[in-house]
Amino acid sequence: MTNQPYEDYDPYQQPPAQPQWGYEEQQYATQQWQGQTWETQTHAPVQAAQPQVPAAETAYMPQQAYAPAQQQAQQQPQQPAYTQQPQHPQHPQVPQHPQQAPHPQQAPQSAHTPPPAPAPGSGSAEPGSGYGRATLAGNARITDAQRARLEGRSPIIEPGMQPALLTGLLGLLLAVAAPISSYALVVPLVILQAVTAAGWFRLNGMWPARQGIALAFLGALAADAAVLVAGRDQAPAAILGPLGIWVLLSLVLQLRSHADPDTRMYGLMATVAASALAIIATGFLGADPDAASVGAAAVAVAVVARALPLPTVASVVVSVLAAAGAGIAVGGMTGVGTKGALIGAGAALCALAGHRAASYDYPSRFVHFTAGVALPLAAAAPAVWILGR
């Protein structure tokens, strides 16, 4: 009579009203049993061993692989502890260690770890890394100026004597053509404006930038045409009008760009600056012809003097004094007189500022022969127009 305690209760019997079910249906059916769980022959029935509790606390819940391990650990004390699980064909054994189930969110870290950044000197940059191509030694993370500082070199390299001679030649052409006629002055002026637009974009590291260079150059041509039509008396309005229009065109051009915001802002500032420098060079055309001759000649002498092998402070002083002397000399030939010294000194100071800008950020040889040639003359144009009045 060893089986007498189990005659009245079969732990695996199905509810009387349930039909024959499959394995999946039996899993869901076990959730509806009122306190009846799996038994073995070595344990008493659940109803006799434990008080009746709500079904939500004793019902068998199918294990879910996505439940966190901590949640499983909190639910374990609420489940009856048994030393052995039944082996029944219709009820497969429950895993003994549910907390070892892999969590889909706990993926290997290597799957979400970003690729390592390229080492300095690798010569390439990852797409979308925010770094451009290498400029000199294959390092895409630092600029030429930063590399020069790290190597103990100065990031400022002056154009030298050859660009200075070209600037002097272009200045002499302007000085000679200004007293002849406005149309004669336009020829060297257009060359100056074209080199200014190209040199500024190259100085900012944007090359080739054909669209921006063409836009800046067209603005300069529009300003020249406006001054020729309106005359020298209306030169300020003829110059400022195209300048404002071209700033608006540059803004519209960058708004239509599909580049990232930083690139668009950088391109906008470069385009506006190149257009402004090319347009204000029209000041030679709007200034008095004698003042234009004095100013252009003074810039030519000042830039050549600045290229002499002298200390920086001494070179600047010599340049200004040489420009003032050239202004007096040319002013005596054109009728300006001693006032040419003031025009020459003012034009020389602005020219030295443009010369300094062309020397910044470790420029290339192409920068020296474009921006280094044109920026001194373009920067001096407003001073020539103001002082010449």
Side-chain angles (χ1 to χ4, degrees), residues 21-186:
W21 295 335
Y23 172 69
E24 295 183 356
E25 295 176 324
Q26 289 177 0
Q27 278 189 322
Y28 291 101
T30 56
Q31 301 179 14
Q32 301 176 1
W33 292 352
Q34 300 297 328
Q36 298 178 4
T37 64
W38 292 346
E39 293 287 339
T40 60
Q41 295 182 358
T42 59
H43 292 81
V46 174
Q47 294 180 356
Q50 294 181 349
Q52 186 174 2
V53 295
E57 298 183 4
T58 58
Y60 168 73
M61 299 298 293
Q63 297 180 358
Q64 300 177 357
Y66 59 84
Q70 296 180 355
Q71 183 178 359
Q72 294 289 342
Q74 294 177 358
Q75 294 179 357
Q76 284 181 0
Q78 300 178 1
Q79 298 177 357
Y82 299 104
T83 59
Q84 182 179 1
Q85 297 293 341
Q87 301 293 336
H88 194 275
Q90 295 183 356
H91 296 276
Q93 185 176 1
V94 181
Q96 295 293 330
H97 300 285
Q99 65 273 13
Q100 297 179 358
H103 196 287
Q105 297 180 356
Q106 299 177 355
Q109 295 182 357
S110 59
H112 299 282
T113 303
S122 59
S124 62
E126 294 293 336
S129 61
Y131 301 110
R133 289 185 175 275
T135 52
L136 280 182
N139 193 335
R141 293 180 177 271
I142 62 176
T143 63
D144 295 340
Q146 293 172 341
R147 185 180 299 108
R149 292 188 183 97
L150 292 176
E151 295 175 358
R153 296 179 286 107
S154 174
I156 305 299
I157 297 181
E158 298 178 356
M161 183 57 72
Q162 291 181 353
L165 292 176
L166 292 177
T167 302
L169 177 61
L170 188 56
L172 291 178
L173 291 176
L174 291 171
V176 172
I180 298 175
S181 67
S182 298
Y183 293 97
L185 182 59
V186 167

Side-chain angles (χ1 to χ4, degrees), residues 1 66 76 83 108 133 180 236 239 272 327 364 368 377 385:
M1 299 300 290
Y66 59 84
Q76 284 181 0
T83 59
R133 289 185 175 275
I180 298 175
I239 294 175
V272 170
S364 64
H368 285 161
L377 286 167
W385 180 83

